[in-house]
Amino acid sequence: MPRLKRVDSDDSIGAPWIEAAPSSHQECFSPGASKAVLTRTGKAQESRAAAINRTESSASSCVGVQACAGGEEGPASLEAVMRFRGHRVKVKSTATHVSWKAVNQAAGCCVDRRKLARRVPFDEVLSALALNKQPVCCYARDHSFVIYTFSRAGSADPNTWRPEEYVLTAASGEAVREWVALINGRLQALRDRPRNLLVYVNPFSGARRARHIWERVAAPVFQRARVAVTVVETAKMDHAKEMVELMKAEELAGYQGVVAVGGDGLFQEVVAGLLARRARGDVTAHRIRVGHIPAGSTDAVAYTLHGARCAATAAMHIALGDRLSLDAGRMAAADGTVRHFVCQAGYGFMGDVMRFSERLRFMGPVRYDVTGALQLLRGASYRVSLAYREATSTTADVQQLCTSQCEVCRLAGIRMEGPHGAYHRSATTSALLGGSAAATAVVVNSTGATHVGAGGGLGTPLGGSSPHATSPPGPLAASHGIVTSASAGAVLGTPLGSRNASAPLPVSSAGAAPGGASGAATADATPLQPGTPVHGAHGATAPAASSSAAAAQAWQAQALGMFTSATAGWFTPYPHAGAAHGAPGSSGAGAAGPVAGSGSTHSMSGHGTGDAAAGGQASGAGHGAAGGLALTAAAPGAALSGSLATDGSGVGVGSSGGGQGHALLRAPSAPLSWGHQHLQHLAAGPHSQDNSSGPLHATAATHAAPAPLAAAVPGTAGGGGAGGGGFVRASFPRSGGGGGAGSACGGSPRGPSSLTGFAAAAAAPEQLPPPSLSSNSVSVTATAVAGGAGGGGTAGAPSGPAGAVSQPLHNGMPASSGPAGNGDGGSGGGDGSGGLCTAPVTDAEGWTHVEGEFASIMCVVTPCRSDKSKRGIIPNGHLSDGRMYLVLVSKCAHPNFLRFLIRLSARGLVDRCLPHVRVVPITALRVSPLPGGHYLGGCLWDAAAPESAWNVDGELLHCADVRVDVLRGAVEVFARGPETPASARQHR
Ligand SMILES: Nc1ncnc2c1ncn2[C@@H]1O[C@H](COP(=O)(O)OP(=O)(O)OP(=O)(O)O)[C@@H](O)[C@H]1O
């Protein structure tokens, strides 16, 4: 049976040392909570007071109290001289805060006056209380009162709050009463403060310390804030949900909020109960806020909401009445089960971890680590059919700031004009001032930067023109030559830009044939020098084939060291998709490679994506695909150049010998359906020749001697087999790409970064605009993917005559064309894992359909922070923007899945942060399991379950066939969002 304990506001604990202030607020604020805790505190304080008594003899000496005109709640401002920690301080109260600092003569030379100064906003005060004549703490004397508030742990961790008690000693009992009445009167005006809460405690959460945490940590906070609580211990699974759902409306209306003391599962139960009420039209449920006091195993909800996994902090957020809207995901399974989540739902790895860890509950929270390691070894992947609706690119909804001090919002130029300056505080502040609950939101960035969460859209804040945009060659003009490889899978690249003329040309090889075979080059080791005329070869027939192959191999060996194209084997291709890649545009294995030396360019495509984590870490990846590029016999000394315009278009210009070529990467003005495209990249073969116009094009025009994308040199004809192409990566500076930069780098995911030859202009840091906020915003690095020779016609069936070729972005880019550099060194070039899913198809209703084999599928509706991912799975995810993020991790080898986990844990995910990871903003998702899948050791933990299960915010859902929708602003929570050190400083 549940234990239900009602603690009403008149249930005074009668602590002997506390004398309730004889003010008009006495009854309303009479304390009611854990007597044991207070008693212990009192004893400690008494002993400390006794110690101080020995050293301090003088009592307070107060001078006059000055009051300014005020209304019913007492004077608007008060001033008085009191004693604080034994020193005389001047105390002032204004409409928004109370503050004090040492009076001049009070502090001696050895006293740090700064330590005596405090400024406490009323919306951070729990309460004020007159103290008994008997001192209860070291500084208490006659006529003392205490202000209960908190302090931040420090600028390094502003989100962890410590309870604070400031004891001030006034001149008289009258002055104490006046001050206590004034402070408590101000607090009463805060409309968002809860007065009555329903609390659920799950005694089985985490390490079974929920009851202890409630009694020792949380309850005292509510007692100090004078919040009445009704406590219920849950007795079974879904107990809290049922109670919330079935409670009488009048009873529920008596509460301002429901608090879950436990893990994410308990919080989710409360949310589910409220949403169930709302679904049947109960309006009471709309105004009930939900709080989470972390006492579970993961506590991602509390971590996400407050930026700290700290019960005292969470309790104070609740007691202070913080308010925030939160999106929720709704997962409806085919078997009729419905679950809600506010962090993430995961299938595959996450589901397997949860499924098995449930059997290890006795281990406590460490069970997740153990199970995670086992599942990593198991390396399972599952075949599924996916359909999702991409989130449209919307502009920021400034009414929907996701958090109070969201760094992303701040960078996007969205801020709140509040009484404490131009930043958003909790709604309580404005309520305090008598205004509406929401402060005024303003967009201060005239560049039109969008709110990240709502923005989406490729190329979001492209910003203004870069100096490089219109300076075509500039420092990039001198580029060098090109090369080719005749070996299957080998691709050569020439860096654009400022590479040293004698620098070796990096070569990459990432060709991977279906089934995992890589088109590895096998040549000798003579580095190819810039300008060396090399002909693209076509199978083994081209005259230059062998030499170019040798050269290619040499470069490959040099550039990639041990990571030959076999590295691509890390990324196990998925056969059925691999086949799909090679097909379009291929003209038969080995038969239709680009005509060696003909200079024809078959296709090029590219697009830019970029990402930057909040906080200014810019990263991004741009991609250009050159499918089946013809290799040109670049004349010695051929010059190539490239640039990428900042208006969203990029232009690569190359010239070689007497001819010239250029490639245009053009970003659309309209928002891109980028997630779709990414999947198309994932799926499309490197040489698919679908020339349908897409939102993003790359055009390559060549004359005489083409130099597509200024540096891209394709692989050439190879033997049979489709699959990954090689990669030539051209790097562009972000910001919509100032000067084009050229680089050619290895396709190995672990290709040394030094292989990337950035143009000097591209690297100029001062040219970089503010960091992008979106995970899909701006080009940072462009990758030219040469449709590799890797066989299977990928060597580029000539798709047209030499000359201009226009092709949608997604074509010609192998699925494996991986995210080249992402600005943070996140990944290398292609991974050869192409073909892990089918080509996405979008139906008339806007659903995009994909089939594939994935190691992990996640739906992340908020950033989802936790101990395991402190920045959040999706650091830029917002709390209430009506979208969630679909994270797809393709089937991959163990080391690459480990890389994914490390990335997730260390920095969070952005699209293409790793070659096998896609992040797509969506609003709805359907997942159906398909037969197939791979894992070691059979289905290790549940032989009867060939499919994975869903881990829905820490709760298992065994039916894999689900539909997920986002419920925008589904719940109101007691939170203000994590603070940044900067915003925390503004509080002080
Ligand atoms: N008295 C109870 N006995 C057994 N199970 C309970 C009881 N009360 C709640 N539960 C269930 O326990 C499950 C786990 O609870 P909770 O989420 O609070 O802890 P956790 O799983 O350890 O933490 P986390 O979800 O953060 O990993 C929930 O599904 C909840 O419904």
Side-chain angles (χ1 to χ4, degrees), residues 202 205-206 234-236 263-265 269 297-299 361 368 955:
N202 178 0
S205 291
T234 57
K236 56 172 184 162
D264 299 330
E269 279 192 23
S297 306
T298 313
D299 301 323
R361 267 201 167 263
Y368 292 131
E955 300 306 306

Side-chain angles (χ1 to χ4, degrees), residues 304-353:
T304 300
L305 295 181
H306 312 305
R309 190 180 176 188
C310 169
T313 302
M316 279 185 278
H317 279 288
I318 296 168
L320 294 175
D322 287 340
R323 179 190 289 272
L324 210 58
S325 268
L326 195 65
D327 287 351
R330 179 183 186 275
M331 177 172 284
D335 65 1
T337 314
V338 175
R339 291 260 178 215
H340 293 90
F341 59 97
V342 295
C343 285
Q344 63 94 24
Y347 184 80
F349 180 80
M350 297 293 179
D352 293 345
V353 166

Side-chain angles (χ1 to χ4, degrees), residues 9-80:
S9 59
D10 57 356
D11 183 13
S12 171
I13 59 172
W17 65 89
I18 292 180
E19 178 187 66
S23 71
S24 58
H25 308 291
Q26 179 182 350
E27 286 176 15
C28 174
F29 285 150
S30 62
S34 168
K35 180 176 180 178
V37 173
L38 287 174
T39 303
R40 269 192 296 277
T41 308
K43 279 182 181 167
Q45 289 170 338
E46 277 179 304
S47 62
R48 271 187 294 158
I52 295 296
N53 277 337
R54 287 194 293 274
T55 58
E56 284 186 22
S57 57
S58 66
S60 62
S61 66
C62 298
V63 294
V65 176
Q66 219 179 354
C68 299
E72 290 175 358
E73 293 158 5
S77 65
L78 271 183
E79 271 188 33

Side-chain angles (χ1 to χ4, degrees), residues 252-572:
L252 186 63
Y255 302 108
Q256 288 79 50
V258 182
V259 177
V261 185
D264 299 330
L266 188 65
F267 180 89
Q268 180 215 333
E269 279 192 23
V270 172
V271 169
L274 286 175
L275 292 178
R277 294 185 76 101
R278 286 171 56 165
R280 62 169 196 257
D282 180 1
V283 290
T284 319
H286 283 264
R287 58 167 197 77
I288 299 289
R289 274 173 284 170
V290 190
H292 182 214
I293 295 178
S297 306
T298 313
D299 301 323
V301 174
Y303 212 123
T304 300
L305 295 181
H306 312 305
R309 190 180 176 188
C310 169
T313 302
M316 279 185 278
H317 279 288
I318 296 168
L320 294 175
D322 287 340
R323 179 190 289 272
L324 210 58
S325 268
L326 195 65
D327 287 351
R330 179 183 186 275
M331 177 172 284
D335 65 1
T337 314
V338 175
R339 291 260 178 215
H340 293 90
F341 59 97
V342 295
C343 285
Q344 63 94 24
Y347 184 80
F349 180 80
M350 297 293 179
D352 293 345
V353 166
M354 179 54 58
R355 184 163 57 184
F356 186 57
S357 67
E358 283 300 294
R359 303 180 187 187
L360 302 178
R361 267 201 167 263
F362 64 91
M363 296 175 75
V366 79
R367 67 185 185 272
Y368 292 131
D369 299 328
V370 174
T371 315
L374 290 172
Q375 292 299 337
L376 178 64
L377 291 176
R378 184 171 167 244
S381 57
Y382 298 92
R383 290 199 63 222
V384 297
S385 167
L386 286 170
Y388 59 88
R389 277 183 201 269
E390 257 184 60
T392 54
S393 176
T394 59
T395 53
D397 179 352
V398 293
Q399 300 299 325
Q400 289 279 347
L401 270 187
C402 66
T403 63
S404 55
Q405 286 92 21
C406 171
E407 186 73 1
V408 179
C409 289
R410 190 183 68 77
L411 288 173
I414 304 166
R415 69 183 188 190
M416 289 298 218
E417 295 289 358
H420 301 280
Y423 64 97
H424 176 62
R425 292 172 58 92
S426 64
T428 52
T429 298
S430 51
L432 177 69
L433 297 176
S436 66
T440 309
V442 293
V443 177
V444 294
N445 186 345
S446 59
T447 62
T450 60
H451 186 287
V452 166
L458 186 63
T460 307
L462 279 176
S465 294
S466 158
H468 302 298
T470 54
S471 50
L476 308 170
S479 178
H480 2 271
I482 293 306
V483 204
T484 140
S485 160
S487 295
V491 178
L492 298 180
T494 302
L496 277 178
S498 63
R499 284 184 71 88
N500 185 310
S502 62
L505 293 173
V507 178
S508 74
S509 167
S518 298
T522 57
D524 67 32
T526 307
L528 197 65
Q529 294 305 313
T532 303
V534 182
H535 297 260
H538 170 328
T541 60
S546 59
S547 61
S548 59
Q553 285 308 310
W555 284 108
Q556 186 171 26
Q558 181 171 336
L560 302 177
M562 62 180 287
F563 300 108
T564 64
S565 58
T567 311
W570 279 10
F571 306 89
T572 313

Side-chain angles (χ1 to χ4, degrees), residues 58-66 78-92 100 129-133 139-147 166-181 183:
S58 66
S60 62
S61 66
C62 298
V63 294
V65 176
Q66 219 179 354
L78 271 183
E79 271 188 33
V81 174
M82 301 187 194
R83 294 191 76 83
F84 176 62
R85 295 183 178 172
H87 297 277
R88 281 156 52 85
V89 293
K90 187 173 184 182
V91 186
K92 269 172 72 172
W100 57 91
L129 184 71
L131 298 176
N132 201 337
K133 285 181 181 174
Y139 299 109
R141 296 290 182 276
D142 288 348
H143 317 309
S144 294
F145 65 98
V146 60
I147 297 175
Y166 296 132
V167 176
L168 291 161
T169 304
S172 65
E174 184 62 28
V176 167
R177 281 189 288 277
E178 193 175 10
W179 277 89
V180 169
I183 294 171

